[in-house]
Every structure is written in C-alpha cells, then in structure tokens.
Amino acid sequence: MSKKLTGKAFDAKIFKRLMGFAKKYRLQFVIGTLSAILLSLVSVAKPILLQEIVNTYFETKDKEGILYFSLLMVVFLIAEVFLQFLFIYKVNWLGQNIIKDIRVKLQKHMLQFKMAYFDQSSVGKLVTRLVSDTETIAQFFGQGLFMIISDLLKMLVVAIVMLWMNWKLALIAFIVLPILIYATKLFQIAIKSAFQEVRIQVANLNGFVQERVTGMNIVQLFNREKIEYENFVKINEKHKKAHIKTVWYYSIFFPIAEILSSIAVGLLVWYGGLDIVDSGVTNAGQIIAFIMMSQMLFRPLRQIADKFNTLQMGMVAGDRVFEILDTQSQITKTGNVEATHFKGNISFKNVRFSYIKDEEVLKGISFNVKAGETIAIVGATGAGKSTIINLVNRFYEINDGEICIDNHNIEQYTLTSLRNQIAVVLQDVFLFSDTIYNNIVLSNENITLDEVKKAAKEIGIHEFIMSLPNNYNYNVKERGVMLSSGQRQLIAFLRAYVSKPSVLILDEATSSIDSYSEQLIQEATDKITQHQTSIIIAHRLTTVKKADRIIVMDKGKIVEQGSHLELLQKDGYYKNLYDMQFVNEAAV
C-alpha cells in the first residue's frame, strides 16, 4: 500500500470496488436499505404523538385520548424495535458474507503467487491483510455504510418534520448545524490519517511478533531475549502512539458536538418560551417535540462522524487488500497441456536465472536427464543447485533459455499437472499442526490410510510411526515440533513416495539427520529411484555414489559431469571436494 496519506475523507474508487462485492447479495442489500427507510419514518412518530398528547389531551384531561395515543406510541415503539433488529441483523449478515468472499478471493490469489513474492513479503503483514483488514471491511458494511445511510435518512425526515411543524423553531435548531458539520469534516480528514497510521503499525507489530515467535529458538540460542524485548517495546510504543492519536481526535470532537447540541436545546427553550409568553404560535407540546427531535437530529450527526471513521477504516483496509489483489506476481506463461504422466526426460538448454536483477545465479547451464536416470547435483553452497529444483517446479520463471520435460517446454504444461508429477523432499521439512497421516496425504482423498501404511512398510518407516502415540493419528503440532529433524525428514520422504511422482527430487534430504534415519532414507532412495527419473541435490557425497551421473556446479555453472568413478579419475573439482570431505571426516 502506498504510504502517502491523501487526506481525502472519502475515496470513491475504493468505495465502488467494495460495493462490487455486494452485488450477489442484492436482496439482503434491498432489505437492509428498506428497513433503514422505514426506521427513519417510524422514529419521528413519537415526538409528533407526544406533541398531540400534551397540546390536546393534557389540557382537556381526556383520559381515553391519552390512553389511545399512549398505546399508539407503544405500537410505533414495537415497530421501531423490530425494524432496528431487522436492519442490524441484515447489514451485519451482509458484511460477514462479503468478507467471506473477499477472504476466499484473496487467499486464492495469494496461492498463485510466485515464490519471489513471498521471499520479499512479511508473513505477518500478509496475515494482517487476510484476517484483520478483511474484518475491518466487514465493519465497513455492518457498522459504517448502512448506519450512515440510516442516520442520514433519519436526519432528513426529522428536519422536514421540524420545518413543517414550526419553521421558526426549526431554523433556531439549525443555527449550530454549519459549525457542527464543519467540525465533523475536519474530524473525518484528521482521523483518516490517524487510522492509516494505526493499520501500518498493526501490520508491523504482527510481522515482528510472527517472526520472533517462529524463530524463538534462534532468539534464545543467541541470547537475544533482551534485545528483541527492547525492539518489541519500541514497535509497541509506535503502535500505542498511533492509537492515542485517534483517541486525541475523538476526545476533542465529541465534547464539541455535545456542547453544540446543548446550545441548540437551550436556544429552542429560550425562543419557544418567549414565544409562548408573547402568545405566539409556539406551544408547550411543540417545544417538547422539538427538544426530542433536536436530539434525533444532532445525535445521528455525532454518530455519523464516528461511523464515517469506520467507513474510512474499511476503505483503508480495502485499499490494502486491493493492493494484494491487484498484484500480478503469478506465473504468466501457463500452458494448457495436462501432464498425466512423465517418461522423465529432462533437459536444460542454456538456462539463465537471477533472483535479483543483474545478479545471475545460473549462468547459461545445459544438461540432459534420461528417463529413469538418477543424477546427482553437487557443489559448494550458493552454486545454484537448489535453484534448479525451483525452476523445474516453476516456482520462479527463468530469464532466458528453455527447460523441457519429455520434449515439451514446461511452460506448455498446466502448473497443477506439472507439479503433480514432481515430488520434492526438501532439507527444511515443513509439517502442519495435524496428524502424521494428514501431513503425508495433504488432504488428498485418493490416498487411503492402507496405502500409506503399505508405502511406509516398503521404505522401512512403518515401525517408527507405529511407535508413536496414536500412530498415524499422532499430532505433530506446529511445524512438526514433536518430531526430531530426522523423523520429519522421513515423513517428508513418505509424503513424496505415496504421491507416486514421475520425477523425484531430493534436496539435501540427508544433510541434517542422524545415521539411522540416513540409512533408512538411503535404502528408500535406492528403492524408489529404480523406475523413475530422480535428481539428488547433496553436500554429503556418500549419498550420490550410486547415481548414474553426477553434475558438478560452481558459481552458477556446470564444471564437470560423469559418474562417481569417472570424476574421481579426472582429478578435478569433484575429486578435490571428495578428498576434502572425507579427509575431514577421517580426522573427526
């Protein structure tokens, strides 16, 4: 969102876009609007009836007339209560359904973003957009827009009735209106800027807390508790100041509005009383009715200022949500070929790629992988190994060159079918706060528990799962904290295996696990790579000895290719890497 504060009290463009989400709920919109109109008409009945009782039946002491009009007031009161209920329920129902639609649309849009977008975006701020900002949009409809419409209608009807009953008293009551309207306008402009700052600070606070809670082990490991506490205090202080600024504006405006309202009542009593003494057209019933109607006129105006702020907050939140909805960070070149199964022929043809402009990570690499072949990619950290995985899955788009699978450019395949045929086991395994079974199948209803158990037995991890409480229904909690890194890796390996991919990619899958888990994965790797194309990214060269071919990378380029024995005989980069690794291990 642009951080430039426009100062505009109302943004018609954002308002129009928000109202676009209400089109599918036309009936509810109409009911809410009609109830607001009827409510404004019914609300003025009480002062009119009260005037009639005082002027006619009090003077004549007509008990039957007093009873009749009193019962009539009760009827109008019941009608007002019913219309108020209908109005509040319908407008809030409308708001909740609209934000449901916005959240669904926003979530669907975000799911299609390239990884580059998430690399540069704060998780906490995205959560704020999806949860907090959309809730504010609900208040835009439920507490802002319709409430303002209702209050404006009520004020209009009251003003017309006041002019009809006694235009002189009405003008007396209207004297303070220009001052109050001007003060309301200033208040609205000032409070919008304050609320924009509040939303910015809320997003910053959410982002900070999200990152620190997620990385709490790093915070405590490096004794940063005091530093992070002090940083939090500073951010929280900014958040507090932003809110206090809104409180300051409220504390100025509402007393002013209350004073002006009281002045209007005082003027009505003064002028009306003098007119009665002078035997004018004014009577006691009118003065009582006008005091009631002046409150009905000024109170909504004060509330409109508050509700207009809710309207503005909704538009500020809408602006932030629409910024994400307007962000075009999707993979642009998507084909229409459905990949039902790959033979597994993969080719990179002079591929160039950079995460940051003008800083190439891959510098024109080319290689081929035959169907059913297992290749390994090795090299120092930052050589570009993991980038190859990201490009095969189309998490990022290449700058130049071509990547083909089965002689088709991967851009010709639909993203869903392409990724369905490729399974990846990453070094940093992410598990959801759910059962082991659900973390393996990822809500794929086509994979049964029996199939999962069978696959687990085939790769040798069934016993490990059965040793856990509740077995396959064991809840691993957030990010899988109830399991060791080796156990999480085994779950990820099983997750890839049961998906029955055409291409299997292992990215440093054994780099941070114990020897027992590594042995299990190594045995499973040997089993499932026999009949499909496999790519293994590894630092530990013991895991790549059996590969059909090893590709050695350095600084974004391929420097060597060949089998393990062939590369050792070349006395090149791979042999130096191999000797260095095993000399260090021997020394240990």
Side-chain angles (χ1 to χ4, degrees):
M1 183 188 74
S2 172
K3 293 185 180 180
K4 183 180 178 181
L5 302 179
T6 63
K8 291 166 58 180
F10 185 83
D11 193 317
K13 185 178 179 181
I14 297 174
F15 177 80
K16 184 178 179 181
R17 290 190 67 177
L18 287 172
M19 291 303 298
F21 285 94
K23 289 182 179 178
K24 65 184 290 187
Y25 303 108
R26 287 186 179 90
L27 178 60
Q28 309 300 327
F29 190 92
V30 170
I31 292 175
T33 304
L34 285 177
S35 61
I37 294 172
L38 293 174
L39 193 59
S40 64
L41 295 174
V42 170
S43 62
V44 295
K46 290 182 295 182
I48 294 175
L49 291 173
L50 185 60
Q51 176 189 244
E52 186 67 19
I53 292 174
V54 172
N55 289 339
T56 304
Y57 299 101
F58 277 13
E59 292 183 2
T60 61
K61 299 181 180 180
D62 185 349
K63 295 181 179 180
E64 291 183 0
I66 293 173
L67 178 62
Y68 172 76
F69 273 88
S70 298
L71 291 175
L72 197 57
M73 287 182 67
V74 171
V75 171
F76 276 101
L77 179 62
I78 293 173
E80 185 177 6
V81 169
F82 173 74
L83 289 170
Q84 190 79 26
F85 159 76
L86 185 64
F87 173 73
I88 293 174
Y89 177 78
K90 286 299 180 182
V91 298
N92 283 281
W93 182 95
L94 183 65
Q96 290 302 316
N97 277 272
I98 286 174
I99 66 163
K100 177 205 68 175
D101 295 341
I102 293 176
R103 279 185 178 139
V104 168
K105 184 174 182 179
L106 183 60
Q107 173 73 349
K108 182 179 180 180
H109 189 68
M110 288 170 58
L111 287 172
Q112 307 303 318
F113 283 163
K114 293 183 284 189
M115 287 297 108
Y117 179 86
F118 297 102
D119 292 341
Q120 301 169 6
S121 302
S122 164
V123 174
K125 290 181 180 180
L126 293 178
V127 171
T128 300
R129 302 292 185 274
L130 191 60
V131 180
S132 178
D133 284 335
T134 50
E135 192 63 42
T136 304
I137 293 174
Q139 295 177 6
F140 166 90
F141 289 98
Q143 304 297 325
L145 176 63
F146 283 97
M147 290 294 183
I148 289 174
I149 292 173
S150 176
D151 287 343
L152 286 175
L153 285 172
K154 187 180 295 184
M155 290 172 62
L156 178 62
V157 171
V158 168
I160 292 172
V161 171
M162 290 174 75
L163 289 168
W164 170 70
M165 290 175 61
N166 188 324
W167 66 270
K168 291 182 179 179
L169 277 180
L171 292 180
I172 291 294
F174 295 163
I175 286 176
V176 299
L177 274 180
I179 302 173
L180 186 56
I181 291 172
Y182 181 70
T184 300
K185 183 178 179 180
L186 293 178
F187 175 65
Q188 291 163 351
I189 293 174
I191 206 68
K192 181 180 181 184
S193 298
F195 276 131
Q196 284 177 315
E197 181 63 23
V198 167
R199 299 312 303 168
I200 290 172
Q201 295 305 326
V202 167
N204 291 339
L205 188 63
N206 285 348
F208 182 89
V209 173
Q210 162 80 25
E211 290 179 350
R212 270 57 185 185
V213 171
T214 303
M216 187 59 71
N217 57 336
I218 300 298
V219 172
Q220 295 184 353
L221 185 63
F222 288 90
N223 293 318
R224 289 186 56 84
E225 292 93 335
K226 182 178 179 181
I227 296 174
E228 296 302 338
Y229 169 76
E230 292 171 352
N231 290 336
F232 176 81
V233 169
K234 293 177 183 177
I235 293 175
N236 198 36
E237 179 68 18
K238 291 180 180 179
H239 180 264
K240 181 203 72 175
K241 287 181 178 179
H243 272 285
I244 287 179
K245 192 174 182 181
T246 66
V247 173
W248 167 254
Y249 290 132
Y250 276 108
S251 63
I252 293 175
F253 173 74
F254 281 103
I256 290 175
E258 191 64 35
I259 289 172
L260 291 174
S261 177
S262 299
I263 290 173
V265 172
L267 289 173
L268 284 172
V269 174
W270 169 76
Y271 179 82
L274 289 178
D275 196 45
I276 291 175
V277 172
D278 294 337
S279 301
V281 297
T282 306
N283 52 59
Q286 279 189 344
I287 294 178
I288 294 173
F290 266 74
I291 289 174
M292 289 183 64
M293 286 190 290
S294 67
Q295 294 301 312
M296 294 170 63
L297 183 68
F298 289 107
R299 187 179 297 113
L301 188 58
R302 295 197 302 270
Q303 293 173 349
I304 282 176
D306 192 30
K307 291 163 186 173
F308 204 95
N309 297 329
T310 302
L311 190 74
Q312 290 175 319
M313 286 177 65
M315 287 192 288
V316 170
D319 187 25
R320 294 154 67 91
V321 169
F322 291 143
E323 183 193 16
I324 297 180
L325 287 174
D326 293 339
T327 299
Q328 297 302 317
S329 185
Q330 292 83 1
I331 300 294
T332 54
K333 299 177 182 178
T334 56
N336 52 18
V337 177
E338 291 291 331
T340 56
H341 182 75
F342 288 143
K343 293 180 181 178
N345 294 296
I346 303 174
S347 63
F348 274 59
K349 301 176 182 178
N350 195 32
V351 173
R352 294 182 176 275
F353 173 77
S354 57
Y355 293 102
I356 302 173
K357 189 176 181 180
D358 299 328
E359 295 183 19
E360 282 192 332
V361 177
L362 299 183
K363 304 173 182 178
I365 67 169
S366 300
F367 65 88
N368 295 305
V369 184
K370 297 178 182 178
E373 186 178 23
T374 296
I375 70 161
I377 302 177
V378 300
T381 301
K385 306 184 299 297
S386 296
T387 299
I388 290 175
I389 297 171
N390 292 332
L391 298 183
V392 172
N393 281 281
R394 297 205 68 196
F395 289 146
Y396 301 86
E397 294 186 279
I398 61 177
N399 299 344
D400 196 16
E402 188 178 33
I403 302 174
C404 296
I405 298 180
D406 291 351
N407 299 319
H408 284 84
N409 191 311
I410 59 174
E411 294 176 357
Q412 295 177 301
Y413 296 111
T414 63
L415 278 176
T416 301
S417 65
L418 173 69
R419 291 172 180 170
N420 278 340
Q421 296 303 316
I422 302 173
V424 181
V425 179
L426 299 171
Q427 176 183 359
D428 183 18
V429 177
F430 187 94
L431 297 181
F432 297 95
S433 179
D434 208 333
T435 64
I436 285 181
Y437 170 71
N438 287 334
N439 269 289
I440 293 170
V441 301
L442 296 177
S443 301
N444 187 341
E445 297 178 354
N446 296 321
I447 305 176
T448 66
L449 178 58
D450 290 337
E451 290 176 316
V452 172
K453 289 181 177 179
K454 181 182 177 182
K457 291 175 182 177
E458 289 175 356
I459 63 175
I461 68 171
H462 176 71
E463 292 183 4
F464 142 64
I465 298 176
M466 293 301 293
S467 68
L468 297 171
N470 297 322
N471 315 131
Y472 286 85
N473 290 319
Y474 179 62
N475 194 312
V476 300
K477 304 301 181 182
E478 187 175 358
R479 298 185 67 87
V481 295
M482 302 304 291
L483 302 178
S484 68
S485 59
Q487 291 171 331
R488 291 196 296 270
Q489 199 68 260
L490 291 169
I491 298 301
F493 203 90
L494 182 56
R495 174 195 288 171
Y497 183 45
V498 297
S499 66
K500 299 177 182 177
S502 301
V503 177
L504 176 67
I505 300 176
L506 306 180
D507 183 12
E508 307 286 1
T510 61
S511 62
S512 60
I513 60 177
D514 56 87
S515 300
Y516 175 71
S517 298
E518 180 180 358
Q519 182 181 355
L520 286 177
I521 289 182
Q522 201 59 52
E523 292 173 357
T525 302
D526 294 341
K527 180 178 179 60
I528 70 172
T529 57
Q530 291 176 359
H531 306 293
Q532 62 187 359
T533 302
S534 302
I535 301 175
I536 303 174
I537 309 293
H539 274 302
R540 297 165 69 170
L541 302 184
T542 54
T543 62
V544 303
K545 289 181 180 180
K546 297 179 182 179
D548 298 316
R549 185 157 45 94
I550 299 172
I551 296 175
V552 185
M553 295 188 65
D554 183 40
K555 298 178 181 178
K557 295 182 178 180
I558 295 175
V559 294
E560 290 179 327
Q561 291 191 60
S563 67
H564 173 70
L565 294 177
E566 290 172 347
L567 292 174
L568 286 180
Q569 292 173 1
K570 288 184 178 181
D571 196 23
Y573 190 98
Y574 180 81
K575 187 175 187 304
N576 291 336
L577 192 65
Y578 184 85
D579 290 343
M580 185 184 303
Q581 187 171 122
F582 282 92
V583 166
N584 289 338
E585 290 185 4
V588 173

